[in-house]
Amino acid sequence: FSATSPYQRVVVTKSREDIRMFINGSIQFNTRDEYRYHESLVHPAMSLARHRENILVIGGGDGMAIREIFKYSDVKAVTLVDIDKTITDLFKENELFKKLNGHAFDDQRVKVVNQDAWKFLESTQDLYDVVIIDLPDPDDFNLSKLYSHSFYRLLSKHLSAFGILVTQASSPLYSREAFWCINETLSSVESPVELKEKLYTQPYHVYIPSFGEWGFVMASPAALDWSRIKLHVPARFISEDILKSMIQFPND
């Protein structure tokens, strides 16, 4: 499959059972190991969250993050905001791709909004228990603004009192400066709950063969205690030992 939308060039390739999606030439997932990425993105925040009723996904138009979110039975609503209708339609309608996300878009709890995330947040009054940010790397202006202090400040106002957000944050090995910049930017955002306080952050990383060493940053108005994470849902990759290693950063 290939298409040029008003926003980006989307290409999907298939070789035997190996399916890959590229946006503007950069790989977004490989079915051989995408579960490692999506489990690492979703489960630490979802497991640590005090409440999981109302979830926001920014990006993630392939629906695979939603697949992982629905492993939690107390989820009542998921809003997915992805600007590109080309991608969300592909993964909502094509049977091959619907299998990849476990038919996530068929669930009545899902609401898809094809809109710029910044404009969406400016127009909604909703609060979210968990926010999953699954955007491509910030390699152009339109994407970079969604990794900025201004965007994170706007987003923090839509977190519930104990809400948690998590974003993919590029590679702490190959894009070290970008990774730690995202962490520092989030940790500079004023808490929407406590006056003169900032968001608490927790950077972490994992090895994904298609991407290499890959990083994520979690943030919340409430203190984050990684040791409280207890995984009570099925996972192909994440385990207690993997969770412990995620927050350990080697010298390089």
Side-chain angles (χ1 to χ4, degrees):
F1 173 88
S2 62
T4 301
S5 76
Y7 307 102
Q8 54 204 357
R9 177 70 173 166
V10 181
V11 174
V12 182
T13 66
K14 185 173 186 293
S15 176
R16 298 180 182 175
E17 300 305 313
D18 190 359
I19 299 172
R20 306 181 187 192
M21 184 172 79
F22 301 81
I23 291 180
N24 296 334
S26 297
I27 189 168
Q28 303 302 302
F29 71 76
N30 181 340
T31 51
R32 188 179 298 273
D33 56 17
E34 59 79 13
Y35 63 91
R36 284 190 172 215
Y37 172 87
H38 290 102
E39 288 181 7
S40 301
L41 173 68
V42 170
H43 292 308
M46 289 291 289
S47 298
L48 198 56
R50 297 195 186 188
H51 305 285
R52 291 184 287 261
E53 294 185 1
N54 198 19
I55 313 297
L56 175 64
V57 180
I58 296 176
D62 53 48
M64 286 187 271
I66 301 177
R67 177 196 68 206
E68 299 300 318
I69 289 168
F70 279 152
K71 291 180 178 180
Y72 298 85
S73 59
D74 47 351
V75 173
K76 292 185 176 179
V78 177
T79 302
L80 182 135
V81 180
D82 192 305
I83 197 171
D84 200 337
K85 194 171 185 293
T86 299
I87 291 179
T88 55
D89 282 354
L90 180 65
F91 285 86
K92 280 165 58 177
E93 299 169 1
N94 184 287
E95 285 300 324
L96 177 64
F97 301 125
K98 288 173 69 172
K99 289 181 181 178
L100 298 181
N101 60 37
H103 297 259
F105 291 114
D106 293 339
D107 196 298
Q108 294 183 350
R109 291 173 290 177
V110 177
K111 177 184 178 183
V112 176
V113 180
N114 294 120
Q115 187 180 13
D116 177 82
W118 197 306
K119 292 180 180 177
F120 170 80
L121 291 170
E122 287 180 330
S123 64
T124 185
Q125 301 298 316
D126 290 346
L127 295 178
Y128 300 95
D129 299 313
V130 180
V131 178
I132 308 288
I133 306 175
D134 188 13
L135 293 167
D137 285 344
D139 54 6
D140 63 40
F141 174 77
N142 287 327
L143 280 169
S144 295
K145 70 180 184 180
L146 302 182
Y147 289 82
S148 67
H149 181 276
S150 298
F151 180 71
Y152 292 144
R153 183 175 56 193
L154 173 63
L155 182 56
S156 71
K157 295 176 181 177
H158 293 279
L159 283 174
S160 60
F162 297 100
I164 296 176
L165 71 85
V166 62
T167 181
Q168 82 84 14
S170 76
S171 173
L173 181 61
Y174 301 110
S175 306
R176 190 175 309 157
E177 187 175 353
F179 174 79
W180 290 109
C181 180
I182 291 169
N183 181 72
E184 291 298 315
T185 303
L186 274 166
S187 65
S188 72
V189 173
E190 302 80 4
S191 169
V193 177
E194 298 183 58
L195 190 65
K196 296 184 179 180
E197 294 294 328
K198 307 290 186 182
L199 293 181
Y200 296 90
T201 64
Q202 175 62 69
Y204 64 100
H205 67 109
V206 70
Y207 179 71
I208 302 166
S210 293
F211 294 170
E213 201 66 34
W214 208 255
F216 308 84
V217 179
M218 188 188 298
S220 176
L224 295 166
D225 183 356
W226 191 266
S227 66
R228 285 185 52 243
I229 297 176
K230 302 296 180 185
L231 194 64
H232 298 296
V233 298
R236 296 174 62 188
F237 170 64
I238 288 186
S239 65
E240 287 191 11
D241 288 339
I242 294 293
L243 281 166
K244 290 176 185 176
S245 69
M246 282 180 168
I247 59 171
Q248 298 172 5
F249 285 85
N251 290 335
D252 63 348

